[in-house]
Amino acid sequence: MVDARQQFGTRVKSLESKNVKLARGYYTTIRADGLVVARPARCGLRVPTKLLVALVALFVCFKGFVLAAIGPTAYDSRLDSLAQGTVIEQAGAWVLQVDPVTQTLARKLGPVFRG
């Protein structure tokens, strides 16, 4: 008798927590047997990993294109002037600094831009 009461209490707590989660939002799915089931919606910001990787790769390619187009001397002088600015400009200079991947890409693209 005591065991059945404990199981009932556990089921009630589970249903109450599911009800709280469903109150924040839900979506419905149809199971294979035809039953419609409500499931809690995930909350929070979800950014796909592939999107982040693509954005980083695109940014590195952009840096490589700019470095190849204007040359390393002009690029470094512009980074130096950017590093002398405000905190945000200094952060931008740190992000835009030449890394090995950017340098390799610029070396490959340099002949294309310079003729």
Side-chain angles (χ1 to χ4, degrees):
M1 183 74 171
V2 174
D3 188 41
R5 194 172 283 190
Q6 286 175 347
Q7 287 178 356
F8 179 75
T10 304
R11 288 194 318 246
V12 168
K13 285 181 185 178
S14 173
L15 288 173
E16 286 173 349
S17 70
K18 185 176 179 182
N19 190 22
V20 169
K21 291 177 185 176
L22 288 174
R24 292 187 213 129
Y26 65 92
Y27 64 96
T28 55
T29 58
I30 300 175
R31 293 192 331 199
D33 60 359
L35 183 64
V36 178
V37 179
R39 302 203 176 185
R42 293 183 179 177
C43 55
L45 180 65
R46 293 176 44 210
V47 178
T49 307
K50 289 181 182 179
L51 178 65
L52 289 176
V53 170
L55 287 175
V56 168
L58 185 66
F59 184 71
V60 170
C61 288
F62 172 74
K63 287 187 346 181
F65 287 136
V66 171
L67 183 60
I70 67 173
T73 310
Y75 192 84
D76 286 337
S77 68
R78 290 182 186 192
L79 276 182
D80 290 339
S81 66
L82 196 60
Q84 302 303 320
T86 64
V87 175
I88 294 173
E89 290 172 341
Q90 290 172 1
W94 182 80
V95 169
L96 291 171
Q97 68 187 354
V98 179
D99 54 81
V101 176
T102 304
Q103 198 169 28
T104 304
L105 186 62
R107 261 191 257 127
K108 300 244 186 227
L109 293 174
V112 173
F113 283 114
R114 293 188 198 108

